[in-house]
Amino acid sequence: MIPAPFRHITVETVEEALAALVEFGDEARLLAGGHSLLPLMKLRLATPAVLIDISGISGMDTVQVDGDHLLVGALTRHRTLELSDLVAREAPLLGHVAGLVGDPQVRNRGTIGGSIAHADPAADLPCALVALDGVVGLRSVTGAQREVRAEEFFTGFWSSVMEPDEMITHFRIPRTGSAGWAYEKYTARAQDWATVAVACVAGRVVLGAMSDTPLRASAVEQAIASGATAAEAALTAHEGTNPSGDLRASAEYRAHLATVLTERVLLRSGYGI
Ligand SMILES: Cc1cc2nc3c(=O)[nH]c(=O)nc-3n(C[C@H](O)[C@H](O)[C@H](O)COP(=O)(O)OP(=O)(O)OC[C@H]3O[C@@H](n4cnc5c(N)ncnc54)[C@H](O)[C@@H]3O)c2cc1C
């Protein structure tokens, strides 16, 4: 439970962070809230020689309205999202889901950028971001900026399209306002990662922990659009999924949970009654 020795450097700007990423290459990792990276280091599943601490970069922890979207800084903490009136009004799913991440200590340190970069299929915010049809804003050391739809960002377990010389700077999240939404996560213990999670907003249904990435439940969405009841549509929730079996649940039990939770989110979102 003791990490390998590492050097800790602090940076004050995105430019400094990106320059350090290039300077130290594979040896380095960005450090935001530390609540995913440090546990991995303690287990020696990650042994970076250099931690580039970005938590002091100013101006990257705010939420603002930007036209039809919310612009959310990558360093915005889960707790800020949970308590924000603006988020509750404009993208209520996001605030609600942020409030279900871990415990208050985790939410007071962890950031949305760290959670999305970590790309854990059982994490809450990746599932919510895909359901919201959010966009991930990336910047590289060359100054190049790009925005990637969350649906295309995640490529596998703990992996994404983010390049080694890139960092997440912001998220662009559609203002879904009063559109029907719901989130259900089944956990083996209180305050835990999802055994299975399902998010629904504005008719988009996304499954967490049913594959290596958050997964659109396209068959469910189509069934609802064709007039199926919530119960009928939910029976298709496992289609195209590839759940793993582990200590928390077997693959078969995860498929069962996906059906149950999908029916609940559909009913609570006002679809397929
Ligand atoms: C006890 C405990 C319970 C938890 N429970 C849950 C839970 O129920 N649900 C859940 O979803 N999560 C849970 N988590 C994880 C938590 O949400 C983390 O805060 C989050 O996953 C990572 O955010 P962070 O800011 O702490 O990132 P860090 O740990 O600092 O970084 C994580 C990874 O992201 C990279 N990174 C960080 N910021 C950026 C950036 N801006 N650009 C590019 N790369 C970046 C880092 O290099 C690292 O690889 C839990 C954690 C703990 C310790």
Side-chain angles (χ1 to χ4, degrees):
M1 295 300 280
I2 297 179
F6 60 88
R7 188 174 152 202
H8 175 252
I9 60 172
T10 54
V11 293
E12 291 179 359
T13 64
V14 169
E15 291 76 14
E16 282 175 27
L18 290 166
L21 268 184
V22 170
E23 180 181 350
F24 297 107
D26 289 349
E27 304 259 275
R29 294 285 280 274
L30 297 176
L31 178 72
H35 273 56
S36 288
L37 183 53
L38 294 182
L40 289 188
M41 290 171 62
K42 287 181 175 179
L43 293 168
R44 307 255 173 150
L45 292 171
T47 53
V50 181
L51 290 187
I52 304 165
D53 190 337
I54 59 173
S55 62
I57 298 179
S58 62
M60 252 173 68
D61 60 351
T62 57
V63 183
Q64 306 162 41
V65 171
D66 182 27
D68 292 343
H69 290 76
L70 287 182
L71 198 57
V72 178
L75 287 174
T76 308
R77 297 189 194 284
H78 310 322
R79 186 78 173 143
T80 304
L81 296 172
E82 177 187 0
L83 297 182
S84 163
D85 290 337
L86 178 63
V87 173
R89 193 171 59 242
E90 303 295 347
L93 174 75
L94 181 65
H96 174 76
V97 169
L100 296 177
V101 174
D103 52 42
Q105 286 166 304
V106 173
R107 297 199 290 278
N108 273 314
R109 290 299 308 167
T111 65
I112 182 171
S115 179
I116 300 304
H118 187 54
D120 184 335
D124 296 289
L125 288 167
C127 183
L129 195 67
V130 175
L132 284 158
D133 201 12
V135 164
V136 185
L138 296 157
R139 187 154 151 202
S140 84
V141 72
T142 62
Q145 302 187 40
R146 62 179 178 136
E147 291 193 331
V148 180
R149 283 181 71 202
E151 206 170 330
E152 287 144 22
F153 180 78
F154 304 103
T155 53
F157 189 80
W158 289 353
S159 58
S160 71
V161 299
M162 186 168 62
E163 298 291 342
D165 68 345
E166 284 183 314
M167 68 181 278
I168 300 174
T169 52
H170 65 274
F171 300 91
R172 206 176 286 283
I173 294 172
R175 294 167 64 187
T176 52
S178 59
W181 64 273
Y183 183 72
E184 286 278 343
K185 96 164 161 172
Y186 180 89
T187 56
R189 307 172 297 186
Q191 303 177 332
D192 202 358
W193 286 263
T195 302
V196 173
V198 187
C200 175
V201 61
R204 286 168 64 90
V205 182
V206 176
L207 305 165
M210 286 297 288
S211 184
D212 284 350
T213 64
L215 214 56
R216 275 291 281 283
S218 307
V220 174
E221 293 175 9
Q222 281 159 19
I224 288 297
S226 311
T229 65
E232 288 164 350
L235 287 175
T236 67
H238 65 279
E239 282 185 23
T241 64
N242 183 24
S244 57
D246 54 30
L247 286 176
R248 285 195 170 96
S250 65
E252 293 74 22
Y253 187 50
R254 281 197 162 88
H256 169 70
L257 284 174
T259 304
V260 173
L261 301 183
T262 299
E263 182 178 353
R264 284 185 199 162
V265 298
L266 290 174
L267 290 172
R268 286 188 29 226
S269 310
Y271 296 98
I273 296 167

